[in-house]
Amino acid sequence: MAENKKSRVKQLFEATFEPRLKTYINVVVTGTMAITIFGIVLIPLWLILGRYYLNKYFENLYCELTTRALHFKKGVLVTTERTIPLDKIQDLTFKEGPLLKYFGLSILKVETAGQSSSADGDMKLLGILHAAEFRQMVLEQRDEITYNRSGDFDNSGNVHTLEPLLKEISETLKRIEKKS
C-alpha cells in the first residue's frame, strides 16, 4: 500500500535558484561583519573561504513541488530539510526589499497551519527564479489537493461521497433502537 501511495506522488516542478543569491549572501555577511568589532577581524577569512562556502551552499539548495508536498533542502555544515504537506500551507508570502530587488531576488515565506510563533515554524525560500509563478503553482496545487480531499460535496453543495456511510450509520442506529 505504501508503494501505491508513493507512485501517486509525482514531481510537478523543481525550482531553480538565482545565481546572484551567492553575491547577495556575500554582501549581507560582509556588511554584517563590517558593523561589529569581532566581525571586522573575520572579514579577511570570510573573503578567502566565503566563495567556497557559498558555492557549496548554492549547490545544496533544492526545492520541489510534488502533487502532495513542498520539499526544501539547504545547508553546508548544518543541513536543513523540510517537507510541508500542501494541505497544511495557509499562505505563501512574497517579499521584496530594496536590496533584494537590486539583486533580482525575492523571499517566499511559507506559513503553515498550526505553526508556532517561533522561527522554526516558518520556511523561507530565498532566491527562487520566477518566484511569483512558483508561488502561484504551489497555491493552485494546494487548492486542488484540499478541494479533492474535502470533495464530499458536489457543485450544488449536496453530500455525495458520505451518503453510503450516513446510510450505514442510520441503519445501525435503527437496529440499536429496536434492541432497547
Side-chain angles (χ1 to χ4, degrees):
M1 177 135 178
E3 286 181 34
N4 189 20
K5 242 184 188 182
K6 195 168 192 158
S7 66
R8 290 185 291 178
V9 176
K10 294 181 180 148
Q11 181 185 47
L12 298 176
F13 185 77
E14 184 176 333
T16 54
F17 291 86
E18 172 63 57
R20 291 180 283 182
L21 176 61
K22 295 184 278 189
T23 306
Y24 170 79
I25 294 172
N26 194 21
V27 167
V28 169
V29 169
T30 305
T32 303
M33 288 179 170
I35 61 172
T36 64
I37 295 171
F38 183 69
I40 291 172
V41 175
L42 294 177
I43 288 176
L45 184 64
W46 172 252
L47 293 176
I48 294 168
L49 300 176
R51 177 172 285 161
Y52 174 78
Y53 176 82
L54 290 172
N55 286 333
K56 282 293 189 191
Y57 180 83
F58 191 77
E59 288 173 14
N60 290 337
L61 282 175
Y62 177 77
C63 183
E64 79 169 346
L65 172 64
T66 67
T67 53
R68 301 216 179 259
L70 185 62
H71 303 282
F72 179 67
K73 180 182 173 185
K74 68 176 182 177
V76 177
L77 299 174
V78 177
T79 306
T80 301
E81 288 187 53
R82 298 271 317 261
T83 299
I84 298 180
L86 292 176
D87 60 345
K88 300 294 183 211
I89 295 176
Q90 294 279 313
D91 192 24
L92 281 166
T93 305
F94 189 76
K95 289 182 174 182
E96 284 183 325
L99 189 58
L100 288 168
K101 277 187 181 182
Y102 178 78
F103 287 100
L105 303 172
S106 60
I107 296 173
L108 279 178
K109 180 180 170 191
V110 181
E111 298 173 17
T112 58
Q115 76 183 23
S116 65
S117 60
S118 72
D120 289 341
D122 299 337
M123 183 166 89
K124 292 181 181 176
L125 306 172
L126 174 62
I128 290 181
L129 281 172
H130 312 294
E133 292 87 357
F134 182 72
R135 176 184 182 268
Q136 191 60 38
M137 282 190 288
V138 172
L139 291 174
E140 286 173 2
Q141 184 62 24
R142 178 210 55 190
D143 292 346
E144 185 175 321
I145 273 276
T146 54
Y147 175 75
N148 286 341
R149 191 166 285 162
S150 64
D152 299 331
F153 298 91
D154 60 20
N155 292 337
S156 63
N158 297 323
V159 175
H160 61 85
T161 58
L162 291 178
E163 191 173 340
L165 179 62
L166 292 173
K167 283 182 181 178
E168 185 180 335
I169 291 170
S170 175
E171 290 170 5
T172 304
L173 288 173
K174 287 177 184 173
R175 283 194 303 264
I176 291 171
E177 283 179 351
K178 284 181 182 178
K179 288 184 177 179
S180 38

